[in-house]
Amino acid sequence: MKVLVAGAGLAGLNAAWELQKAGHEVELFESNTRVGGRCWSERLPNGEVFEHGGEFIGVTDHTIRRLCAEFGLPIVGLGISFDRRWQVDGTIMSEEELAGHVADLSAAAERLCKARGYRVSLREVAREAYGPDYASLPYCQKLFATTTCDPDQVNGIAIARMFQGHDGGYVEHRGRVMAGNDAVAREIHRRIGDVVRFDTQITEVRQASGRVTMRAATGEEFAGDAAVIAVPLPKLQRLIGTLDLPAPMRKAIEGRVMGAAAKLNTMVSGKAPPRGIQAPNAPWWSWSTANNAGDAARGSLTSYAGGRATMASLKLDEGPAYWLEQTRAYRTDLEVSDTCVLTDWGSDPHTEGAYSMPGLDWEPEQDRVFDQKAGAIAFAGEHTHFASLNGALDSGARAAKLLTLI
Ligand SMILES: Cc1cc2nc3c(=O)[nH]c(=O)nc-3n(C[C@H](O)[C@H](O)[C@H](O)COP(=O)(O)OP(=O)(O)OC[C@H]3O[C@@H](n4cnc5c(N)ncnc54)[C@H](O)[C@@H]3O)c2cc1C
């Protein structure tokens, strides 16, 4: 079988690799000039690796951890907590307080769901859980920034269920690939060989008589027996226009919301010990992480802002200067250099956003719609599974399996 794959992020790459291992011919189309998509690592001039996009690898992210083991890519501990952030007054919530906030959010979501059904926004759930001052609560600021979307436009019940605690308790020890997370994408690319056509943006997908055809912006047409579509959500929302899809699948795609986020990666003079600190009275934060030995300091600092409102408040359309100034103003513990790299995913032409969340019209059945094919097409990407590096990889493996099961 010949399978066409649109998008060479972790989802499309993993789908292609799994299909190839099962004996199928694959051809990948990628609008950018590199693989990896939102998994993209580079080095600052002082040699420190930084991530433009996906950074934290969770403790239960088994697929990416398994691949790193298989590829011989060490994962180093970040040495900071993602969920518990230091405040500028030197306080940090305890693990018990964190568990309390998670439980309160979950209980509020289920209460509202019982009273009103599923159509409840994240803001309504947060207000119900934490009261009128919810917006100044550090946990809530973290939640809103992490979801990257307008809290009035995304579904609070789906999100509360997504972030509820794991069986076995909370473990803080997240990590990153020592060589940069995109080493995973580059290694899959190396293994699948010369099957990626770069600079090739797919603009139309059709299927008829058991054949799938993809048309590129250049006017070229490609045909195969099946396809995996693994392009980011806004691109997919436009591509499905011409396709015959089951109604629940179309609803899930059209109803999902793409968020926006930005990162400012800066060099620091000397070394910054691992620490994540919330900006004062603002829903963004900055962190420095452990070095390759897992404990000592690194010469870099990352600031992260999630959501268009926060990004606008940092004047990102004028460049990094204002954000750099704001970072310096509260990270007085460090000497933050002018050498920095700003990545604004909200205006990235290949992704048109950072990652996606369930929209207001979400219903639990939508979580399973991508466990089926639409004719000879399977869908992959964070928006079809879980908005993470690991979720993207898993979605690719799922798509490959769907196409190879007769
Ligand atoms: C700022 C930021 C921080 C994040 N932090 C974390 C984190 O800490 N931990 C974590 O696990 N995850 C994180 N994520 C999420 C994670 O990076 C993504 O979920 C994952 O990388 C998405 O992979 P994907 O394959 O679904 O999509 P992508 O990586 O976007 O791949 C899709 C590919 O399709 C290409 N494409 C687009 N349109 C077309 C077209 N028409 N034709 C052909 N190709 C096309 C794109 O160029 C891209 O290469 C973060 C993301 C961002 C942006």
Side-chain angles (χ1 to χ4, degrees):
M1 173 166 76
K2 176 167 180 182
V3 186
L4 310 177
V5 181
L10 289 178
L13 286 166
N14 204 30
W17 190 35
E18 289 295 329
L19 285 159
Q20 230 187 32
K21 284 190 284 186
H24 303 289
E25 186 190 343
V26 292
E27 192 168 12
L28 262 93
F29 307 102
E30 168 54 53
S31 61
N32 209 335
T33 50
R34 58 173 178 82
V35 296
R38 285 166 272 174
C39 177
W40 177 24
S41 325
E42 286 193 315
R43 284 179 191 270
L44 291 166
N46 63 1
E48 296 286 5
V49 171
F50 71 90
E51 300 295 339
H52 289 273
E55 180 156 350
F56 294 79
I57 297 176
V59 282
T60 55
D61 288 347
H62 296 300
T63 305
I64 193 163
R65 287 178 178 272
R66 179 177 54 71
L67 287 179
C68 286
E70 183 176 342
F71 297 164
L73 293 170
I75 293 179
V76 286
L78 292 168
I80 61 167
S81 164
F82 180 80
D83 291 310
R84 299 190 307 122
R85 295 165 189 184
W86 288 91
Q87 303 300 303
V88 278
D89 64 5
T91 59
I92 186 168
M93 74 173 80
S94 66
E95 291 196 15
E96 290 70 28
E97 283 170 308
L98 172 64
H101 292 318
V102 174
D104 289 347
L105 191 79
S106 185
E110 297 313 320
R111 257 192 328 270
L112 287 175
C113 183
K114 206 166 167 193
R116 289 175 37 194
Y118 290 111
R119 203 172 195 279
V120 180
S121 73
L122 179 60
R123 190 186 302 284
E124 289 172 304
V125 172
R127 193 182 288 119
E128 168 82 8
Y130 311 126
D133 296 332
Y134 65 95
S136 57
L137 187 76
Y139 180 75
C140 197
Q141 292 188 334
K142 186 225 97 171
L143 181 71
F144 283 13
T146 304
T147 48
T148 72
C149 298
D150 178 345
D152 293 316
Q153 299 303 319
V154 288
N155 191 291
I157 294 162
I159 290 171
R161 289 184 184 178
M162 208 186 300
F163 289 127
Q164 74 195 5
H166 289 287
D167 291 346
Y170 171 63
V171 184
E172 291 197 326
H173 198 67
R174 299 186 194 214
R176 63 180 171 88
V177 179
M178 193 164 96
N181 290 342
D182 76 359
V184 175
R186 287 185 282 109
E187 180 58 20
I188 299 177
H189 182 210
R190 192 185 71 76
R191 291 185 185 215
I192 59 179
D194 192 16
V195 293
V196 185
R197 292 176 75 115
F198 291 103
D199 268 328
T200 307
Q201 185 201 155
I202 299 302
T203 53
E204 194 183 332
V205 183
R206 278 173 285 130
Q207 61 175 331
S209 323
R211 297 287 285 168
V212 182
T213 311
M214 287 190 181
R215 191 180 169 82
T218 53
E220 285 170 287
E221 287 219 347
F222 308 93
D225 305 297
V228 175
I229 305 185
V231 299
L233 179 70
K235 309 284 184 184
L236 177 64
Q237 286 171 332
R238 291 197 291 274
L239 271 187
I240 58 166
T242 51
L243 284 174
D244 185 20
L245 300 181
M249 191 182 267
R250 179 172 289 278
K251 191 175 171 198
I253 295 170
E254 289 177 345
R256 207 170 159 96
V257 179
M258 186 60 148
K263 274 182 157 181
L264 183 68
N265 284 285
T266 56
M267 290 204 318
V268 297
S269 312
K271 298 282 178 185
R275 179 154 283 207
I277 309 184
Q278 183 81 30
N281 305 316
W284 59 275
W285 68 311
S286 67
W287 64 82
S288 42
T289 63
N291 78 353
N292 293 345
D295 51 3
R298 297 174 79 205
S300 62
L301 180 76
T302 302
S303 296
Y304 169 96
R308 290 198 186 269
T310 306
M311 290 160 70
S313 76
L314 292 166
K315 305 183 185 176
L316 299 192
D317 47 352
E318 293 168 19
Y322 184 73
W323 198 2
L324 197 56
E325 190 187 307
Q326 297 299 305
T327 302
R328 274 206 190 101
Y330 94 102
R331 292 303 306 247
T332 47
D333 52 324
L334 303 172
E335 262 189 64
V336 179
S337 140
D338 280 338
T339 306
C340 64
V341 180
L342 172 66
T343 315
D344 177 351
W345 289 97
S347 57
D348 183 280
H350 299 279
T351 59
E352 299 179 25
Y355 46 87
S356 65
M357 290 287 141
L360 267 185
D361 287 324
W362 170 88
E363 289 178 354
E365 296 69 42
Q366 290 186 8
D367 293 348
R368 291 183 293 277
V369 291
F370 299 105
D371 291 346
Q372 55 174 319
K373 302 179 280 185
I377 299 175
F379 294 92
E382 55 84 12
H383 47 282
T384 70
H385 194 56
F386 193 83
S388 67
L389 301 163
N390 198 72
L393 287 164
D394 280 344
S395 73
R398 182 199 57 208
K401 198 167 167 189
L402 283 172
L403 294 182
T404 48
L405 289 174
I406 304 299

